[in-house]
Amino acid sequence: MSGGSGRRPPVVVAANWKMHKDPPATGSFFREFRASTAEGGPRVLVFPPAASLAAAVAARPPGVSIGVQNIHWEDKGAFTGEISAPIARGAGASHALVGHSERRHLFGESDADVARKMAAALRHGLVPLLCVGETLREREAGRVEEVVLRQLDRALEELPGARADFLIAYEPVWAINTGRTATPADVEAAHGTLRGRLRERLGAAAADVSILYGGSVKPANARALMAADDVDGLLVGGASLDADQFADIVEAARSR
Ligand code: 13P
């Protein structure tokens, strides 16, 4: 459970489309997406590729928020191929993924980069969804706690004060796009570690920070994952590309 006060973070279900879906496919997805996004249910976030952002903003139903998969830490400048937080905001994004493992491991993003991106997002009113998670080698070496706490602490280093207006996703690298899901016990352990650190840093406001699980989430395992302690939502890759599967996952998250 997320704290003695009984206060619990909002439930959030997020779709990370990675490098999938052009603007027409984005429009089709939202025409087929049937989950109820009424108030009181899970908050739904969709992270399309940047070139499909405008299509997503135009086609999303009420209650669905749109985010970018990456931002640069500078507000503007000579950074070919990059998108700043103000540009993302101007294009209709309200959220930004920060520190996704594919950014860290395939594109060499460091903890310091992640910290600057967290600060840039919050400076411009984008809600960051900070991704943390260990590799298989780190897990096998018994370093899960150390790794996720380092990633969390470093990510918050550049923030001007104690802020609780961000989200976290625990995404073990070995569970991403592999069909291998962490067990509810693995997830509880990592989420409990992160929640503990949030309490140390933020006190009661730690209960405002939703901690999502990501890594091979499917309609078939979503309910069991949501039942684990300190799981406040799900970050879904592959299964979020299918409107029906993603809607089923949103429905499963309603069970918490
Ligand atoms: P999969 O659900 O495809 O494993 O991807 C998880 C992920 O990386 C979401 O950000």
Side-chain angles (χ1 to χ4, degrees), residues 84-111:
S84 69
I87 292 173
R89 277 276 289 182
S94 54
H95 291 71
L97 289 180
V98 176
H100 189 277
S101 72
E102 286 149 21
R103 301 292 325 162
R104 293 177 190 262
H105 296 288
L106 302 177
F107 298 101
E109 224 170 78
S110 67
D111 286 330

Side-chain angles (χ1 to χ4, degrees), residues 16 18 100 102 171 175-178 214-217 235-239:
N16 176 10
K18 308 189 180 184
H100 189 277
E102 286 149 21
E171 296 205 306
I176 293 177
N177 199 24
T178 56
S216 298
V217 174
L235 176 55
V236 190

Side-chain angles (χ1 to χ4, degrees), residues 21 25 54 180 208-209 214 219 235 237 254:
K21 292 197 191 292
R180 217 178 135 186
D208 295 334
V209 180
L235 176 55
R254 207 176 287 283

